[in-house]
Amino acid sequence: MLALLEREPMYGYQLRSEFDAATGATWPLNVGQVYTTLARLERDGLVAPGDPDDEGRLRYAITEAGKAELAGWFGTPVVSSDRPRDELAIKLALAVTVPGVDVSGVIQKQRAATIVAMQDLTRLKAAGNDDLSWSLVLESMRYQLEAEVRWLDHCESSLARAARARNGAGNTEQTATKQTGVRR
Amino acid sequence: MLALLEREPMYGYQLRSEFDAATGATWPLNVGQVYTTLARLERDGLVAPGDPDDEGRLRYAITEAGKAELAGWFGTPVVSSDRPRDELAIKLALAVTVPGVDVSGVIQKQRAATIVAMQDLTRLKAAGNDDLSWSLVLESMRYQLEAEVRWLDHCESSLARAARARNGAGNTEQTATKQTGVRR
DNA sequence: CGACACATGTAACACGTTACATGATTTG
DNA sequence: CAAATCATGTAACGTGTTACATGTGTCG
């Protein structure tokens, strides 16, 4: 919000559409949330309601405090500790500890879903959008999804190795990558 | 929580330590939260308090409904739409739209931080932990961080290209990757 | 004995999210 | 004219997170 308001004062509805434009509607933003957030930002003195425009729309402007906050945001890198927990990582980490879970089944389903997501992305990208922000976000997702697939592969081979270690040294059937049935 | 309780009934404090063990303390979990979550899970009928053990500790057990929920979780891949918004992606997407922001500065700081994070990871990994869950989570982070660096590089060259497009065709000074000062 | 880990909780807060209500304006 | 878009809000809910209170056991 602050970043958008730094460009120029905007009213709520406009903020939503500008945000969607910037992120390519990848993470759609509920309009209602804009207003609640605006109220919270005003509470914290980061924005201020100002001159209503020609039509009665109330534009909010960023304050000095808001500019400082924004500059801090841009100037401070995102570190692991303020990233949200990675659900997928947790899921697999736990899956391998719970007996009866078909871990490779989980991995395979996930990889399939991830690959579909990548294809959707490619399709989106093909439906020409020359906007820079748009394409950066899309590329971000692509890099992440690619990494995810690679990680899933790594997990599978890790699993296979662990299974091989558990079984006798001479026993070389690839059981680990071929089990079926989901728990129980 | 459900995944841990599927292994065996546990009490609150134990759940915390088991979770930390599984995720390698990557995303430390506040103990208090375990109890509130446990209360909410009980409210939803997914766990049930049961037989207190030899010391007076109250163990919670997963219910049938909880098992179903858990099986659903393991059986359903994580898709983009239920992933949280990517703060870094949004940050850069907006940075390029706000005039006066030193985008390559942001990128460089982020890359530095990301690389440090990768080194921390390597160090952690070196401090021997042969636990499978642990190492899967660590690898997950490594893959993600690597992807992030690659994406940041991509962003920089994307930016440079955009800048070249803005400037005249003959004008080939590399202004885009060399600006300084953070807005204003 | 004092500090620290173990162990259980609760109150308060902030935030994201949804659903709903309401009205003006535009457009097929 | 009806439907859709524009536009502004609010109430309610769920959850993550922190801070605090409280007590027991253990170990240097």
Side-chain angles (χ1 to χ4, degrees), chain B residues 73-129:
Chain B
W73 188 55
F74 278 133
T76 312
V78 177
V79 294
S80 306
S81 59
D82 44 47
R83 282 198 179 92
R85 295 189 176 91
D86 184 340
E87 185 185 341
L88 179 55
I90 293 177
K91 187 185 286 196
L92 279 196
L94 289 177
V96 297
T97 70
V98 180
V101 174
D102 172 20
V103 188
S104 27
V106 174
I107 294 179
Q108 279 161 37
K109 276 183 195 143
Q110 181 66 50
R111 182 174 25 229
T114 307
I115 286 175
V116 166
M118 284 178 59
Q119 290 165 348
D120 291 351
L121 219 55
T122 311
R123 212 167 300 128
L124 260 183
K125 182 125 248 211
N129 51 89

Side-chain angles (χ1 to χ4, degrees), chain A residues 88 91-92 103-119 145-157 159 177, chain B residues 74-79 83:
Chain A
L88 179 56
K91 187 185 284 197
L92 278 196
V103 187
S104 27
V106 175
I107 294 179
Q108 279 162 36
K109 276 183 196 143
Q110 182 65 51
R111 180 173 25 227
T114 307
I115 287 176
V116 166
M118 285 178 58
Q119 290 165 348
L145 291 175
E146 276 174 4
E148 191 168 296
V149 171
R150 279 200 283 264
W151 177 66
L152 288 170
D153 288 345
H154 165 86
C155 286
E156 230 173 12
S157 66
L159 258 183
T177 49
Chain B
F74 278 133
T76 312
V78 177
V79 294
R83 282 198 179 92

